[in-house]
Amino acid sequence: PRTFYWRYRANAQAAMRDGDLKYLKIRDNTFLFDVVADPLERANLKARRPDDFSRLQAAWTAWSAAMLPERPDSFTESYTGAQLADHFGVGAPK
């Protein structure tokens, strides 16, 4: 077992995987998933498992503080929900 941390400047994304749990932050939205029990990441467990959420969030924050800062001039790119609507099976926007 290993713990993975990552961040991506587009949409201010932050994530951490520790065992079956995944902490995810996209802009101001935060999530906790059990990726084994819920591989599609549909059930946000943040309110049901606050101790796990706080532990992973604190671990990610400590890891990020030890890394080089993100460069604001670095290239990053992302898609909007409308651009990926077909990918997620919700149909194209009208």
Side-chain angles (χ1 to χ4, degrees), residues 13-66:
Q13 296 177 63
M16 174 188 175
R17 169 87 188 262
D18 184 30
D20 294 351
L21 297 178
K22 178 180 175 183
Y23 162 76
L24 176 64
K25 178 182 175 290
I26 301 173
R27 295 191 186 260
D28 293 327
N29 301 302
T30 53
F31 308 89
L32 177 69
F33 300 111
D34 181 330
V35 295
V36 174
D38 178 20
L40 296 178
E41 299 180 0
R42 294 182 181 226
N44 186 358
L45 303 174
K46 177 172 89 169
R48 287 181 264 174
R49 296 177 65 174
D51 292 341
D52 286 326
F53 176 80
S54 295
R55 177 177 59 83
L56 268 62
Q57 185 180 44
W60 186 90
T61 300
W63 168 82
S64 184

Side-chain angles (χ1 to χ4, degrees), residues 71-93:
R71 291 181 50 140
D73 61 337
S74 65
F75 175 77
T76 188
E77 183 172 48
S78 187
Y79 296 97
T80 67
Q83 291 171 308
L84 295 178
D86 286 340
H87 176 75
F88 292 108
V90 296

